[in-house]
Amino acid sequence: MLRLHLEPGSSLDRSLQAVSRHLGKILEEGVREGYIRVWAYPRVESIIAGGVLSAISSSIGVRPLYKVSVFPPSQIDTPTIILGYSNPDYKATQVNSTLLSLSPEASAPPPPGAVYVTGEGSVAGILGLLLHEQKNAYSRRELLLLLLSASYYGGYVEKTGRFHGLDRAFYEALSAKTPEIDVVNTLKVYNPDKTGLCDAISMTIDPYYPSLTGDPDACKSLLRANELEDLSDRIVSSLSEKELEKAALTILSHIQGIVKGRLEASDYIGSIVLYRSIGVDARLLANSIVHFLDSLGDPAIVQSIVYDPETLIQALTRSHVASASDFADYVENTRLVKAKLHSWLRGYMVGDPHGHSPLLLWRALKLKGLVEAEPLIIDRNGKNCVSALQVEEAKGYGEARKLVSVKAAREDGLWLCVEENA
């Protein structure tokens, strides 16, 4: 049994080696038994990390038993990796095989056969460092890039794009050995290195640009009215510092006149990590995964991506970008009705999101000043449901588990639902 807390510094390499040995042991046992169980807590970074581990398991001939749930498995009777479950508390009688837990916190001592790992970083960032440490087939470039994108949802990346803690260590280790990773400081738009300014703004869903997302002509009219028309079709990353300043000031002033509340420059300006090898930026990749993961309420999409990243990354990002106009139409026209479904569950009743992510919709509505921390409540086949991913971001780490624990809702994939007559 072993409990390790990872943090940047001189002892990090030694700690990573210890955890990597245990990860290798679990994979070896999986080869002998034929399968490995991978469970993830319903947060974006943990789900993607679980998908990556599933792909690694398959690559060595081990069948992954992958599941996403607010609760970890009650019995450990096969080689198991659990991701994102705060304070695992297994007793010796519950653990009859090897167990690895990566989580934000772990206060209880692990039983024999278990290793609890916490750290100053996201689950995705910690796993990325572990796989990078392996220096073998486990550290496929595409899988590491997926983990770096997932870290944007792990709480260790500022709105400005700056990485912290172990996520920063992972980013630095990966970028040092992956020269096609680059960074640009600019407006937060999708693919700023290959898209003109107004087209980039119009296809960007997160952050949402009120009256501009989904409508490139509105952006061009705005710039024309401010004598900046010559910037409309310029590749965003090619703008000089002075040109960027003029464009940003015009765009942010326009948005500030529309939204309720005060904007911060970091809402729309920051550093963006570019993956030149696969032709997308890190935030676009993360948001494209969330778009499908959250709108479908099914983690299976992640397993599809990790098994064929070269094909599906391009398809997912194209589809996400193509939805910008419909997304904007929903944000601008949806009717919000405050509702209380349970003493623990209240939020905003909204109409059918038409295949959009409740989490990304909530971010857009919040930026406009129309909602606060309460989740969006959606009618799904006679049941009032909220997105577990959105609850986790809006209310805080572990809130989805609390809702199920107090019987305010039950799990239905990545949805948390209450019967209509509850």
Side-chain angles (χ1 to χ4, degrees):
M1 60 181 182
L2 180 65
R3 181 171 57 187
L4 284 172
H5 182 76
L6 307 181
E7 55 188 2
S10 57
S11 64
L12 178 59
D13 287 345
R14 187 168 61 252
S15 298
L16 285 172
Q17 290 169 8
V19 181
S20 292
R21 285 194 295 270
H22 192 71
L23 174 60
K25 181 181 178 182
I26 289 180
L27 293 172
E28 289 171 7
E29 291 198 14
V31 170
R32 287 195 293 271
E33 295 196 18
Y35 51 89
I36 287 176
R37 185 164 51 182
V38 179
W39 282 39
Y41 186 76
R43 289 180 61 92
V44 175
E45 69 276 16
S46 296
I47 294 170
I48 294 176
V52 167
L53 284 169
S54 294
I56 290 170
S57 300
S58 294
S59 71
I60 59 174
V62 178
R63 180 188 174 196
L65 306 177
Y66 180 48
K67 182 174 181 178
V68 177
S69 174
V70 297
F71 299 117
S74 58
Q75 291 288 138
I76 307 300
D77 49 14
T78 191
T80 299
I81 303 171
I82 61 174
L83 303 163
Y85 295 95
S86 288
N87 293 313
D89 189 19
Y90 286 102
K91 306 296 186 285
T93 55
Q94 295 175 279
V95 179
N96 297 305
S97 186
T98 49
L99 168 67
L100 173 63
S101 167
L102 305 183
S103 69
E105 298 177 290
S107 55
V115 172
Y116 291 172
V117 179
T118 60
E120 304 299 318
S122 69
V123 167
I126 292 172
L127 179 60
L129 279 172
L130 287 175
L131 298 181
H132 192 268
E133 174 67 25
Q134 294 277 344
K135 298 181 178 66
N136 53 23
Y138 304 156
S139 54
R140 280 174 51 200
R141 181 193 63 187
E142 294 85 357
L143 298 182
L144 294 178
L145 294 180
L146 280 170
L147 289 172
L148 185 61
S149 284
S151 68
Y152 276 90
Y153 283 84
Y156 285 84
V157 183
E158 293 179 4
K159 285 200 298 184
T160 60
R162 183 180 180 184
F163 289 76
H164 288 280
L166 296 173
D167 291 59
R168 182 175 181 82
F170 173 43
Y171 162 73
E172 291 176 343
L174 187 56
S175 59
K177 294 190 176 181
T178 312
E180 63 266 30
I181 290 180
D182 203 356
V183 177
V184 59
N185 294 300
T186 184
L187 280 167
K188 289 196 279 190
V189 295
Y190 292 162
N191 284 339
D193 58 326
K194 58 183 183 181
T195 311
L197 177 60
C198 283
D199 284 340
I201 288 173
S202 71
M203 71 185 195
T204 299
I205 285 172
D206 179 51
Y208 177 67
Y209 286 77
S211 86
L212 303 176
T213 290
D215 187 355
D217 290 336
C219 169
K220 291 176 181 179
S221 296
L222 174 63
L223 295 183
R224 187 183 307 117
N226 287 273
E227 300 182 345
L228 296 173
E229 187 176 7
D230 59 324
L231 302 182
S232 298
D233 297 320
R234 289 274 303 280
I235 300 298
V236 181
S237 61
S238 74
L239 298 177
S240 68
E241 185 175 344
K242 187 174 182 180
E243 289 170 332
L244 177 63
E245 183 179 346
K246 288 180 179 178
L249 181 60
T250 297
I251 292 164
L252 266 64
S253 295
H254 170 75
I255 294 173
Q256 184 63 78
I258 297 174
V259 304
K260 298 179 180 179
R262 189 85 183 145
L263 289 179
E264 297 179 7
S266 58
D267 289 328
Y268 288 99
I269 300 173
S271 59
I272 298 175
V273 176
L274 308 175
Y275 297 157
R276 298 196 186 278
S277 59
I278 54 177
V280 301
D281 71 75
R283 291 184 71 258
L284 170 57
L285 177 53
N287 289 344
S288 298
I289 294 172
V290 168
H291 170 90
F292 286 93
L293 188 66
D294 198 29
S295 61
L296 296 174
D298 184 354
I301 186 67
V302 169
Q303 288 183 289
S304 299
I305 295 168
V306 297
Y307 292 128
D308 187 12
E310 293 85 355
T311 302
L312 285 178
I313 284 173
Q314 297 302 325
L316 290 181
T317 54
R318 282 196 301 269
S319 182
H320 176 57
V321 164
S323 70
S325 180
D326 288 340
F327 182 92
D329 184 65
Y330 184 95
V331 172
E332 297 304 325
N333 295 296
T334 192
R335 181 168 171 261
L336 299 165
V337 179
K338 283 193 173 183
K340 178 180 178 181
L341 303 183
H342 187 281
S343 59
W344 280 68
L345 183 54
R346 62 188 72 195
Y348 303 89
M349 297 290 299
V350 296
D352 185 345
H354 306 301
H356 297 298
S357 157
L359 171 51
L360 296 180
L361 288 170
W362 175 81
R363 282 186 172 186
L365 292 165
K366 185 171 184 289
L367 191 148
K368 288 193 68 178
L370 299 178
V371 301
E372 298 177 358
E374 286 74 20
L376 304 182
I377 303 170
I378 297 159
D379 185 332
R380 296 184 73 247
N381 302 318
K383 294 175 288 188
N384 291 314
C385 303
V386 297
S387 156
L389 305 185
Q390 196 236 305
V391 166
E392 284 291 309
E393 177 161 324
K395 305 295 287 183
Y397 208 121
E399 287 299 313
R401 181 174 181 170
K402 288 181 183 177
L403 288 178
V404 178
S405 296
V406 300
K407 303 190 184 313
R410 61 175 182 79
E411 289 186 277
D412 182 2
L414 297 178
W415 296 94
L416 306 176
C417 297
V418 178
E419 298 296 341
E420 188 176 30
N421 58 2

